[in-house]
Structure formats: structure tokens, C-alpha cells
Amino acid sequence: MAVNTRCFGIFLGLWLGWISIPWVKSKTVGKRWPMWILAVAVILQIIDFSGNIVGLWENTNHSRAALGLLLGISVPIAIADLFYLQRKNN
Amino acid sequence: MEEINNSEVDRTISDFWPSIALVGSIFGVIIFALGLVFGYMQIQSEPTGAIFSPMMFSGVIVCLVVAFAGIMAIWHYTREVTPFIKLGQGALIGFLTGAVLVIVSTVLNELWHVIDPEYTQKVIDSTVAGLEAMDLPEDTKNTMIDATVESMRSEQSIFSQILYGIPMYGILNLITGLIGVKIFGKKEDEETF
């Protein structure tokens, strides 16, 4: 399946995010910042695409790939803590 | 041997179906309607030669809207069935929601061709007119027109809509389903995925 640079960035980011879960887990469990990063990444995609459409700026392959990468990485990191057991305290 | 009580999380697929069917159907109708709106905008647009056409917006807007189906299905499930949901269950609900919405929108698209049999041809004609108005070398223009017409015709068959739609929107909603679990789901004190 052919993909554009933004999608390439997203897929690459998803892969990098998944393999980084064991390392980032300790920094994401119980924290809100990964969800904020995800929300910002989504909003940036919409702003970048809309700005290009209405002619405010012209995005490039590099900018599309970079923003896609950010979105792709932020998804697995946002849900990383769901992959780990939470032991009962008692 | 220690017995783990997973009664809250060991659900069968029949518990998921109401959320999958409801949200999948609603989003199927929404994307069908959006497709029609952009389709008729394309038909009524003047061929200005601009790179961006209503049909180009259609794909992006539909994709953005569809991405929320997985999250909404998880929201519905956690409200109506149980807030305790495993990551894998969220992925399954998301994927099946994507599959349902593709099937619903495909069926509605087919029904629309009964109401307006010329719809696809009018969209293709309008898109081709837009491409012809572009300031491009003749060879490039012809190649683009041929590729676009072929792509639009193949996208209209039920087989290709389902063949490409279910994996694409299924996986998209699988991912948003996982995000939905993170946002709306609650973990039991002790849980495996």
C-alpha cells in the first residue's frame, strides 16, 4: 500500500513508540503528560494540514514526516502503562 | 493455586456487540453523508485548476471523523456494560467498529446508486474537468487523469470498498480503541492483558 510522507512518519513513529515502551514505562505510569503530548500531536496535524490548505504556509515532506512521527510515537507512549500489571497492595 | 477473579473483565463478544453495532452504524451513516456532501460539492464546483478539490478534503475529513469511532465505542461500552476493560478487548471493539462502519457506509453507497445512478460518473467527470484545467504538461495531465479515473472506478466496487476499507479503518479504530481504553477504562487491582 502506497503511503505519503505523513503516513510514513506515523507508521515509523508507531513502530519506534512500541519498541520504546519498556524504557519509557517508568516515566509514563500514572502520569498525564503522555496524553497531553498525544493531544498536541493531533492538534498539530490539523493545524499543519489546515494551514497548508488555506495557503498560510506550504508544508514540506520533512515537516509532514516529522509531525507524523510525533503523532505515531505519542500513541504507544500514551497507552504504555496499560501493558503492565498493577499488583494489589494488600 | 491462587485463583484470580476476573469476572469483571472476562466478557464475551456478545457483550461488545451493542457498542460496536451502534457506534459503527452511526459513524457509517456519518461518513456516507460526508462522502455525499463532498461528492456533490465536487460535482457543482467549477474546474478552476486548483490542486485542492472537495474530493481531496473528503478523504482527510472522513479519516479524521472515523478515527473517533473507536474511542466512542469504548466510551459507550464503559458506560453501558462495565468500566473495566482490557487493552485487547478495546482493540477488538475498535477493529470491529471500524469493520461495521465500513460495511454500513458501503451498503448505503450502493443504495445511493439506485437513487442517483449517475452519481459516480458525475463525480469522475467533474474531477477530470478539474484536472484538465490544471496548468500542467499534457503528458503529466493525461497520466494523472487516467490514474484518477481508474482509481475512482475501482473504489466504487463493493469488493474493493470492503477489501481496503475494513483493514484501513479497522486498524485505525483499533488504535483509537486502545486510546479509548486509556481514557475511559478502569483497571482492576490486578489485571493481565
Side-chain angles (χ1 to χ4, degrees):
Chain A
M1 185 171 73
V3 294
N4 62 21
T5 47
R6 194 185 301 275
C7 293
F8 172 75
I10 292 172
F11 293 140
L12 180 64
L14 282 171
W15 180 70
L16 290 173
W18 285 120
I19 62 171
S20 68
I21 283 176
W23 291 279
V24 300
K25 166 227 170 188
S26 62
K27 295 174 178 60
T28 61
V29 171
K31 306 279 191 342
R32 285 189 164 275
W33 68 263
M35 289 305 289
W36 282 110
I37 296 282
L38 176 60
V40 168
V42 171
I43 291 166
L44 279 177
Q45 299 292 327
I46 295 169
I47 291 172
D48 181 52
F49 179 80
S50 307
N52 191 57
I53 287 283
V54 300
L56 287 177
W57 57 76
E58 195 169 318
N59 54 29
T60 64
N61 278 341
H62 291 98
S63 69
R64 287 192 285 263
L67 289 175
L69 189 74
L70 176 67
L71 178 62
I73 287 179
S74 61
V75 170
I77 288 177
I79 60 172
D81 61 331
L82 296 177
F83 284 91
Y84 288 88
L85 298 174
Q86 286 183 346
R87 295 287 175 197
K88 280 179 178 173
N89 292 328
N90 52 351
Chain B
M1 196 165 131
E2 188 186 358
E3 188 179 327
I4 298 172
N5 179 11
N6 270 342
S7 60
E8 282 297 310
V9 291
D10 282 343
R11 299 269 169 185
T12 61
I13 196 158
S14 59
D15 296 315
F16 307 148
W17 273 118
S19 304
I20 293 166
L22 180 67
V23 176
S25 301
I26 290 171
F27 275 82
V29 172
I30 289 172
I31 65 166
F32 162 72
L34 279 174
L36 275 190
V37 168
F38 283 107
Y40 282 106
M41 280 171 69
Q42 177 70 53
I43 290 168
Q44 290 173 357
S45 65
E46 292 294 323
T48 59
I51 293 172
F52 295 106
S53 65
M55 287 310 281
M56 281 188 71
F57 283 103
S58 166
V60 177
I61 302 291
V62 164
C63 201
L64 184 65
V65 171
V66 162
F68 285 92
I71 294 177
M72 292 305 292
I74 300 298
W75 170 78
H76 183 267
Y77 177 80
T78 55
R79 271 181 67 97
E80 299 296 325
V81 183
T82 172
F84 299 105
I85 181 167
K86 290 178 179 178
L87 199 56
Q89 291 170 332
L92 179 66
I93 291 174
F95 183 85
L96 292 177
T97 303
V100 168
L101 73 86
V102 167
I103 291 166
V104 169
S105 66
T106 302
V107 169
L108 291 173
N109 273 328
E110 290 307 308
L111 288 176
W112 192 256
H113 283 100
V114 176
I115 296 167
D116 184 359
E118 299 297 313
Y119 172 72
T120 303
Q121 192 55 47
K122 284 189 279 190
V123 173
I124 291 173
D125 291 345
S126 171
T127 308
V128 168
L131 290 171
E132 281 175 342
M134 282 183 176
D135 187 21
L136 290 171
E138 207 59 35
D139 285 350
T140 311
K141 212 187 287 185
N142 288 336
T143 309
M144 281 177 72
I145 289 170
D146 290 344
T148 304
V149 170
E150 192 185 330
S151 157
M152 291 179 83
R153 285 202 192 285
S154 67
E155 281 171 11
Q156 290 304 316
S157 79
I158 296 180
F159 180 70
S160 63
Q161 281 185 67
I162 289 178
L163 182 71
Y164 295 114
I166 289 180
M168 191 168 76
Y169 290 138
I171 291 171
L172 177 63
N173 282 291
L174 183 152
I175 293 170
T176 58
L178 297 177
I179 296 168
V181 172
K182 169 77 177 182
I183 297 170
F184 301 113
K186 284 182 183 168
K187 264 188 162 183
E188 295 218 308
D189 289 344
E190 187 169 38
E191 182 190 345
T192 58
F193 56 87

